[in-house]
Amino acid sequence: MSPETPAAVVQLDHVEPPVSLRKRVVTGVLLVVVGLVTVLGWGLGSGAADATFRFGGGSSVTLPDLTVPGTVTPVVLGAVVVLLGLFQLAKGFRARRGPAVVAVTLLCFVVAFLCWVMSGQDAQSMDLVKLLQQTVFLATPLILGALAGVLGERSGVVNVAIEGQMLTGAFAGALVGSMAGNLGAGVVGAVLAGAVVGWLLAVFAIRYRVNQVILGVVLNAAALGFTGWAYKALMQTDTQRYNSPGVLSPLRVPGLADIPVLGPLLFQANVLVYAMYVVIIALQVVLFRTKWGLRTRAVGEHPKAAATVGIDVLRVRYVNVVVAGAIAGLAGAYLSIGTIGPFTENMSAGKGFIALAAVIFGRWTPRGAVAASLLFGFFAALQTLVGILQGPAAVPSSFLSMLPYLATILAVAGFVGRVRPPAASGEVYP
């Protein structure tokens, strides 16, 4: 074997495999269909009025309104999607271009839909900044939950118990905050409660080798039952003492909050949203820029090989799963004391499972999980908006809630590139 052989092998590892003809045809046809729906449904089916986008959001510095034709704009955007589909059928995009194609398609579809909603008989306008603010508001617990899922699976442990960790965190945040009369104590209580559930997941999954998916379902059911019982036994009997924590007030960052669009969107929130920013950056840096992150990824991909170079596989998994539970507990704190204050029974309402979908859609990366969570949050915010604005025809809210899951299916099918979980995710060791 020549000395050049290893380098050649390394080079071949980075060559993208060709996209199969079947996948290219299916995704190309799907894009064409989406484009035609955009042209015919949102474009030719729209009213005669123009669509006006406002950029207010409460900032002292605002941008001028943007008014576009209610019919022509959706037609042009739909034509763009059709062209993308035709190119996919004729030649095909490389796998690494998949996420960009999906993003452009969703953007064209959503903007065209908004134009259609505002193109009724009476001219209507929409504050785009407020829509995005609502998106961040709804996506915050999803982002934190998805980051918890990423950290767990990168370590080789499937964290189906995100739902239970969030619910327990929400309960503990309201209870501790009420009893201590301090919202900061409530946040700490929520984080510790999520960490405890994470510890239970780690003990039974790592030490006793219980099936991780079944274990997650059991912990979710246990969290639902315990918080439901405690809510009725404590909080309903003495609401003032056990379930009146108050709500974290928004903190306005001077200077930054006056930036048009970004200011009111990112810098007029409560402390838990700012904590989320820190968690996003910290997890991205730790996973991909530190020795601990390298060990975590090694453990999640090949624990036996990691052990041969001296990495304590069990310790890495224990620490990361407990930390992931604490992050999910922080998401629970946002649900209670970060939004409405008091705890309500089953207030997580499936958000932990949506966070799991965001983990898959985001391809087990912090940045991808954040983007997927924002997508889910955006469509949730859009449901509320459509109920306020009266478009040319009624659109069921379930149609909008369906779109993020459809995008997740496309991601799992491989259109956004190779979607593969960590190789050792869900596997017991040793």
Side-chain angles (χ1 to χ4, degrees), residues 205-219:
I206 299 172
R207 181 174 181 180
Y208 297 104
R209 304 183 183 183
V210 178
N211 181 281
Q212 295 171 12
V213 175
I214 296 176
L215 175 60
V217 173
V218 170
L219 289 176

Side-chain angles (χ1 to χ4, degrees), residues 275-317:
M276 177 191 70
Y277 300 158
V278 174
V279 173
I280 294 171
I281 297 172
L283 188 58
Q284 180 69 29
V285 172
V286 168
L287 277 179
F288 299 103
R289 294 290 186 271
T290 67
K291 290 183 179 180
W292 182 265
L294 180 61
R295 293 172 181 174
T296 296
R297 289 182 284 125
V299 166
E301 292 291 342
H302 204 309
K304 292 182 179 180
T308 60
V309 296
I311 297 175
D312 189 338
V313 174
L314 299 184
R315 176 173 174 267
V316 170
R317 288 188 171 183

